[in-house]
Amino acid sequence: DPRPLEVVVFLVAIWGAYVIRSLNHFVLGMVTIWTTRAGAIFQVWFLSELLLSGRLVPLTLMPHWAQALSSWLPFKWTFYFPIEALVGNMSTARLIGGLGLQVLWTAIAAALVPGSWRPPVRHYSAVGHRCTPSTPPLPPCPSPFSTRCGTPPTSSPRDSSRCPPPPAPCHSPPP
């Protein structure tokens, strides 16, 4: 039967786990701006999370070195700790220490978010968007068989000399 303190710690820890995982997944998501092969990075991350969080195999059944490693990584604090806080026999000091480590991992992940957000935003560029809201909209795109802009399609190729040129790409300065 859980003590009231264990229930309160569990409720706080489950939200802490959510915040830690969300921030870490955000940082991992920003990796996709820099590489087209992000799948391997995600697989390594999620395999590590499965093994070192206690989701796949309880941490108490893992070798001592794996238990020690999991204590230094955020995975234990996102799965194992909230569950153990509720069902385990943890001392008050271990409960408070676990919450402290969740706060530490939240701070680390929150510090990584701006650093993982700004460079990809500067790196990213889009094509095909109007540069300003005051730019008049272009007429509907003619089909390849239209003879001139705005006419119904026919079987002859489009006469592109009568159609407006596509808009220039927008290049806004980095923030």
Side-chain angles (χ1 to χ4, degrees), residues 16 19-27 45 74 102-116:
V19 170
I20 293 168
R21 288 192 80 223
S22 296
L23 292 172
N24 284 334
H25 289 172
F26 179 87
V27 171
W45 180 267
Q102 278 194 325
V103 169
L104 174 70
W105 279 110
T106 301
I108 290 170
L112 291 174
V113 165
S116 69

Side-chain angles (χ1 to χ4, degrees), residues 85-141:
L86 187 62
V87 299
N89 255 348
M90 297 178 81
S91 67
T92 303
R94 285 187 64 199
L95 290 171
I96 302 303
L99 288 177
L101 283 165
Q102 278 194 325
V103 169
L104 174 70
W105 279 110
T106 301
I108 290 170
L112 291 174
V113 165
S116 69
W117 172 255
R118 287 187 193 113
V121 167
R122 288 187 183 124
H123 176 73
Y124 177 75
S125 65
V127 179
H129 183 13
R130 293 194 303 251
C131 293
T132 62
S134 62
T135 306
L138 292 174
C141 214

